[in-house]
Amino acid sequence: MLCVSQAGIVIGSTVLEHLMPELHAALFPPESDQLFKGLTRFGFLIFVFMAGVRMDVNLVIKLGTKAWIIGIVTLIVPFLYIQHPMFEVFYQFKDNENEKVSYTVQQEIDNSRLYLLTLLSTQFPGVGWLLMHLKMSNTQMGHLALASALISELTRLSYLTLIVFMSEAVEFAPRIVLKSAFLCFFIIVLIVRVLRPLMLWVIRRTPEGKQVKEIYIAFIVAAVLFLALIGDGVGINFLFWPFVLGLAVPTGPPLASTLEEKFDTFVTGLLIPLLATYCGIKTDIPYMLSHYEASRVLLDFSAVVGILLKIVLLFVTALFCRMSVQEAAAFSLILNVKGIPELGLFASFTYDEVSFKTLSSAVVITFTVVAIVSILVRKLYDPSKRYTGYKNRSIMLTPSEGALQILACAYRQEDAVAAIKLLEVSNPSKESPLGVYGLYLEELVGSANPQLINHQLGQKHRTSSHHGLRSQQIIDIFHYFKSQHKKTAQVNFFTALSLPKLMHEDICWVAFDKAVSLIILPFHKKWNTKGDLVSDSQDLRALNINVLDKAPCSVGILLDRRRTRGLSSMFVCSSSFHVAVLFLDGEDDREALAYGIRMAGCPNVLLTILHFKTAQESGQENWRRMIENESLRTIKHELTKSEKVKYQEVIVGDGSKTASIVPSLQYDYDLIMVGRRHDLDSLIISGLSDWNESEELGPLGDLLASSEITAPASVLVVQQQILTASHSSTLNN
């Protein structure tokens, strides 16, 4: 937005008109102004409507009192501020200045009221836009900011509507007020009793996995334009009813997702940049500075003071709501962001040179605020920092007799089957119980506001029948596991609806909130029953990398090559299940080893520990090697009497020998576990990192994920919890 607006400033009144007025007049003749204004108003209208489509109104109910307190504070500050006696001084400046026409004075006073109220109000579409670009929509702070902004937006627009009615009652006959009130009541009934049921009917008529028909989309656009005209006709902001209609659109696919797909590129890629460019073109900074009279200085000073005052009050309110100082500072800045809504409002209500002078000041202040807020929020608030190093959460630190808390994530039904098979061999027993949290990951196309559905609280999946059915199938898989282990496992289930680039925040939050020790993620590649690669999701790979970077506990990426024949094979009990742990060095290998030892308690699990060593390691051991060998000696000492656990040393000369041995192990075991990170200087893996295709698996995990392997074995690559904040280097270690 800043770039295209700057381009508009260069080719507009600020630069081009002063340097080359003939060229500027040829590019922007007077008759083109109405076309520009019409397109920008239409783009702004659809932008606000889509902001309502992306919002889940139930978020306000979930957050409760806190959202209402903050929303009311953001609402009352602008209205109280413009009624301050200092603003009356501004009017005196107006009266004392020599204006040619008194009507122009009144026009500018009205514009000044709109100017201050617009700059001081919290605009919900602007808050949502900022959170989307900062990738904070599905953080706890993002949820609260969206809910508070929505409360403020709806209450402010309702209050202004009431003011309009009261003004009409004073100026005109009561009959006109009753007519306007009747039209508003008619629109409410139309949206709630007619349009929303029709949209639900359209969703039911749309086949699973298909988009909504074009004629239904055209009808919705016509309804948006109709509501805008009705609202404008009765003196209400033309954006109000389209925004309410957007809130009434059912969240998620197929309707909201189709609307998003149809209008996202057109609006955000064409009309909104056109709006920002138009504002830049009409901004005339030299003229604004040359006519910067005392009243304009006081007006802009009042706007800046009002913004700062609102930031302070919201900061205090956020502290009252038990936010940390940094979070409160970031939160107060987010609710004071300026951007597209402000530009759209100013562009919509400029009609003469006086209001265009106001537009110039507004554009400068808007650009300044949005640039400062974006930078400061990034510096003040990093959602991942609340997870990292908060508390040690790993398998190694979980007592053998304590409950192991595991978060199992699933995109598809086969992901849930693979995770349940892993949980089956994780030794759920009275002596070693499991706490399982299933998380179904659903890509959310039609809503910028994510949802985290807790099915234990009776929350229901409210998207299309297709996605609801798929979610229910995965829930049933976890419920069946729960029924098989009623006394040895506690099972809870969630559904996370989010954008792919933000979904890792939901995973990390559930892991953090439930204090889990291990997150199980599905590998991004899938194979069919013949062993052929059928899926390679880069979105899922990016998700896994982000979780590895920011997780508050240990993480395991599960690569499943088993050739299952439907759900009937999920709980087939074999006489033995062979597990191998590849041990080289490092904390990740020790974490995988701890998980393997826990599995060894399962009656049908046979564990083999393969310790890879070089011939040169017989002497001169460093401190890390001493710790690793000490842990292995303890394990060997405790399990010498167990026939289910075997320890074997594998002597290799270099990485090439390792590369020839590791892939062949999949034919001998049902599950192979290995740590992700290793010492890159070790001779055991020398040269392997140069050919690493999947860095998130590490050198050994990448060997086991080779496309040349056809063995039906599963692989679990384990990373122990990262206790430092150097996330950006995680994949390079």
Side-chain angles (χ1 to χ4, degrees), residues 30 190 217 222 245 320 482:
L190 179 67
I217 301 299
L245 178 62
F320 174 77
K482 181 179 181 179

Side-chain angles (χ1 to χ4, degrees), residues 91-308:
Y91 294 146
Q92 296 176 11
F93 270 103
K94 286 294 176 188
D95 294 335
N96 294 330
E97 287 174 1
N98 295 322
E99 301 284 352
K100 294 182 179 179
V101 186
S102 61
Y103 178 65
T104 305
V105 177
Q106 187 58 46
Q107 274 187 339
E108 191 166 356
I109 290 176
D110 292 339
N111 282 325
S112 300
R113 284 184 176 275
L114 175 65
Y115 179 82
L116 281 179
L117 187 61
T118 302
L119 286 179
L120 295 181
S121 298
T122 296
Q123 306 286 345
F124 171 79
V127 173
W129 182 271
L130 176 69
L131 293 174
M132 279 288 296
H133 282 269
L134 295 181
K135 300 180 180 179
M136 292 174 55
S137 296
N138 58 343
T139 62
Q140 295 299 305
M141 180 183 292
H143 289 174
L144 183 58
L146 286 170
S148 302
L150 179 61
I151 292 171
S152 177
E153 181 88 6
L154 292 177
T155 309
R156 176 172 53 84
L157 292 176
S158 301
Y159 174 74
L160 291 176
T161 300
L162 180 62
I163 294 297
V164 169
F165 287 165
M166 293 175 63
S167 300
E168 290 180 348
V170 173
E171 289 189 45
F172 307 105
R175 180 176 56 85
I176 298 178
V177 179
L178 291 176
K179 180 182 177 181
S180 299
F182 174 77
L183 283 175
C184 289
F185 177 76
F186 167 75
I187 292 175
I188 294 173
V189 174
L190 179 67
I191 293 175
V192 175
R193 292 296 184 181
V194 178
L195 294 180
R196 181 172 172 82
L198 279 176
M199 289 185 285
L200 294 172
W201 176 78
V202 168
I203 291 175
R204 290 193 297 268
R205 285 182 58 88
T206 303
E208 293 183 3
K210 300 293 184 180
Q211 289 189 340
V212 175
K213 292 181 179 180
E214 297 282 350
I215 188 171
Y216 299 138
I217 301 299
F219 174 79
I220 292 175
V221 174
V224 171
L225 297 176
F226 172 75
L227 293 176
L229 289 173
I230 293 294
D232 198 42
V234 298
I236 300 174
N237 190 325
F238 73 100
L239 303 170
F240 181 51
W241 294 119
F243 179 63
V244 174
L245 178 62
L247 294 174
V249 175
T251 307
L255 182 56
S257 60
T258 303
L259 288 170
E260 181 79 13
E261 185 173 339
K262 295 291 184 184
F263 291 109
D264 182 62
T265 303
F266 179 60
V267 175
T268 61
L270 176 62
L271 295 182
I272 294 304
L274 182 63
L275 167 63
T277 305
Y278 175 77
C279 291
I281 291 173
K282 292 300 178 180
T283 299
D284 193 342
I285 297 177
Y287 177 82
M288 179 188 72
L289 295 177
S290 63
H291 295 74
Y292 211 60
E293 64 271 7
S295 60
R296 175 58 54 185
V297 173
L298 181 59
L299 179 63
D300 290 340
F301 177 76
S302 300
V304 173
V305 171
I307 292 173
L308 294 176

Side-chain angles (χ1 to χ4, degrees), residues 455-680:
H455 294 278
Q456 284 66 241
L457 300 179
Q459 297 176 359
K460 297 181 180 180
H461 197 286
R462 299 184 298 105
T463 57
S464 68
S465 59
H466 169 64
H467 289 270
L469 177 61
R470 195 164 71 179
S471 173
Q472 189 58 47
Q473 290 173 341
I474 296 178
I475 293 174
D476 292 341
I477 293 173
F478 281 91
H479 281 175
Y480 190 82
F481 173 78
K482 181 179 181 179
S483 67
Q484 299 297 305
H485 301 277
K486 292 181 179 180
K487 298 182 179 181
T488 59
Q490 293 290 329
V491 181
N492 297 280
F493 194 80
F494 299 84
T495 296
L497 297 94
S498 183
L499 301 173
K501 61 183 179 182
L502 302 176
M503 200 171 285
H504 62 278
E505 293 289 350
D506 286 314
I507 297 174
C508 291
W509 170 250
V510 174
F512 175 79
D513 187 51
K514 303 304 178 183
V516 305
S517 298
L518 176 66
I519 299 172
I520 299 175
L521 300 171
F523 188 51
H524 68 278
K525 294 182 179 180
K526 306 294 179 186
W527 292 264
N528 60 14
T529 55
K530 297 180 181 179
D532 300 325
L533 182 66
V534 295
S535 175
D536 187 359
S537 173
Q538 293 304 308
D539 285 339
L540 181 54
R541 183 185 184 190
L543 170 69
N544 291 346
I545 291 174
N546 286 329
V547 174
L548 286 169
D549 267 354
K550 301 178 180 180
C553 61
S554 298
V555 181
I557 297 180
L558 180 59
L559 186 156
D560 183 46
R561 292 182 184 269
R562 293 179 301 107
R563 318 292 187 249
T564 59
R565 298 181 180 276
L567 296 180
S568 59
S569 64
M570 183 171 55
F571 297 106
V572 173
C573 297
S574 57
S575 57
S576 61
F577 189 87
H578 296 269
V579 178
V581 176
L582 309 188
F583 189 92
L584 277 69
D585 60 63
E587 58 270 19
D588 291 352
D589 281 350
R590 291 197 293 273
E591 186 76 355
L593 182 59
Y595 197 18
I597 294 300
R598 193 175 187 100
M599 288 182 178
C602 193
N604 63 329
V605 170
L606 301 177
L607 175 65
T608 300
I609 302 171
L610 300 176
H611 187 193
F612 283 73
K613 303 177 67 174
T614 62
Q616 292 83 0
E617 289 180 350
S618 57
Q620 295 187 357
E621 296 181 338
N622 58 25
W623 179 250
R624 178 188 291 181
R625 188 75 62 188
M626 291 175 64
I627 295 175
E628 290 154 5
N629 284 345
E630 178 62 28
S631 63
L632 286 173
R633 279 195 292 268
T634 302
I635 292 171
K636 286 187 286 184
H637 174 74
E638 293 179 354
L639 301 172
T640 49
K641 298 181 180 180
S642 175
E643 298 180 355
K644 296 176 56 182
V645 179
K646 297 180 181 179
Y647 172 82
Q648 179 181 343
E649 292 186 353
V650 181
I651 306 300
V652 294
D654 53 22
S656 60
K657 183 65 174 178
T658 304
S660 64
I661 294 176
V662 170
S664 63
L665 297 175
Q666 295 207 46
Y667 296 94
D668 300 323
Y669 301 98
D670 299 296
L671 173 66
I672 299 176
M673 294 195 295
V674 62
R676 192 184 71 82
R677 297 168 299 173
H678 300 95
D679 184 3
L680 297 180

Side-chain angles (χ1 to χ4, degrees), residues 234-444:
V234 298
I236 300 174
N237 190 325
F238 73 100
L239 303 170
F240 181 51
W241 294 119
F243 179 63
V244 174
L245 178 62
L247 294 174
V249 175
T251 307
L255 182 56
S257 60
T258 303
L259 288 170
E260 181 79 13
E261 185 173 339
K262 295 291 184 184
F263 291 109
D264 182 62
T265 303
F266 179 60
V267 175
T268 61
L270 176 62
L271 295 182
I272 294 304
L274 182 63
L275 167 63
T277 305
Y278 175 77
C279 291
I281 291 173
K282 292 300 178 180
T283 299
D284 193 342
I285 297 177
Y287 177 82
M288 179 188 72
L289 295 177
S290 63
H291 295 74
Y292 211 60
E293 64 271 7
S295 60
R296 175 58 54 185
V297 173
L298 181 59
L299 179 63
D300 290 340
F301 177 76
S302 300
V304 173
V305 171
I307 292 173
L308 294 176
L309 177 63
K310 186 179 175 185
I311 290 175
V312 173
L313 291 177
L314 283 173
F315 174 76
V316 174
T317 306
L319 291 177
F320 174 77
C321 294
R322 298 182 179 180
M323 290 188 186
S324 66
V325 174
Q326 280 192 322
E327 288 180 342
F331 185 77
S332 61
L333 289 170
I334 289 172
L335 289 182
N336 279 277
V337 69
K338 311 301 168 192
I340 294 171
E342 287 75 18
L343 294 181
L345 288 172
F346 287 125
S348 299
F349 296 104
T350 50
Y351 46 83
D352 55 21
E353 66 175 17
V354 177
S355 56
F356 276 120
K357 186 167 59 177
T358 301
L359 174 65
S360 299
S361 298
V363 168
V364 172
I365 292 179
T366 298
F367 288 171
T368 304
V369 171
V370 72
I372 293 175
V373 167
S374 299
I375 295 173
L376 290 181
V377 171
R378 290 181 187 273
K379 294 289 185 181
L380 290 171
Y381 184 72
D382 181 2
S384 64
K385 290 183 178 180
R386 69 183 306 171
Y387 308 133
T388 306
Y390 175 77
K391 191 173 183 180
N392 289 352
R393 296 291 183 189
S394 64
I395 302 173
M396 286 184 63
L397 296 176
T398 302
S400 57
E401 69 280 0
L404 177 62
Q405 307 292 332
I406 298 177
L407 173 61
C409 304
Y411 255 121
R412 300 183 178 93
Q413 184 173 298
E414 53 265 30
D415 298 333
V417 173
I420 291 299
K421 188 64 178 178
L422 181 65
L423 296 173
E424 279 284 336
V425 298
S426 298
N427 190 28
S429 60
K430 292 183 179 180
E431 296 77 17
S432 179
L434 291 180
V436 178
Y437 298 92
L439 182 62
Y440 169 49
L441 307 173
E442 179 179 331
E443 180 179 342
L444 192 56

Side-chain angles (χ1 to χ4, degrees), residues 687-701:
L688 295 184
S689 59
D690 297 335
W691 304 96
N692 200 347
E693 295 182 0
S694 301
E695 293 184 357
E696 67 273 21
L697 297 182
L700 295 188

